[in-house]
Amino acid sequence: MKMTVCQITNFLVAEFPQINGEFEIVNLSNDGATVSLLVKDRHLRPGGTVSGPSMFALADVSFYIAVLANIGPKATAVTTNCNIDFMRKPLKSDLTAKARILKLGKSLIVGDVLLYSKGTPNPVARASLTYSIQK
């Protein structure tokens, strides 16, 4: 890995302050990251469940963190594709994303993310993502 949790957190505060306080990096690995969305009322939709846009944001941010951990502090890594399947109604609780890099190329990074409601064994959503590394 090219960055630690502390380095990524500091990088995000400086380069992506819009998400400050929304997410928590749980851990990093050579092929991914585990990140939590700290669910608040603004993340909920009618019916008392986490909204789709909030889940999408978690998938995208967690994959971005996995990418940073593996390529270093490059703010110009951008999402070029993301598909998400919402499989189960999430609980009104924090969500955890397990992002995994499947291919780390010179210009494209491909991976997937599974999202879980805190304390549940089955994923509530699955996303596949492709990032482009801008030169």
Side-chain angles (χ1 to χ4, degrees), residues 55-77:
M55 294 168 66
F56 189 96
L58 175 59
D60 195 32
V61 167
S62 64
F63 194 69
Y64 183 57
I65 289 168
V67 168
L68 289 174
N70 283 276
I71 69 168
K74 297 180 181 173
T76 56

Side-chain angles (χ1 to χ4, degrees), residues 28-87:
L28 302 173
S29 66
N30 288 330
D31 68 345
T34 302
V35 178
S36 290
L37 170 64
L38 307 175
V39 173
K40 299 178 179 58
D41 284 341
R42 70 178 165 273
H43 299 115
L44 303 178
R45 69 169 193 79
T49 187
V50 179
S51 71
S54 296
M55 294 168 66
F56 189 96
L58 175 59
D60 195 32
V61 167
S62 64
F63 194 69
Y64 183 57
I65 289 168
V67 168
L68 289 174
N70 283 276
I71 69 168
K74 297 180 181 173
T76 56
V78 297
T79 309
T80 59
N81 186 58
C82 182
N83 295 302
I84 189 165
D85 297 310
F86 300 102
M87 302 184 296

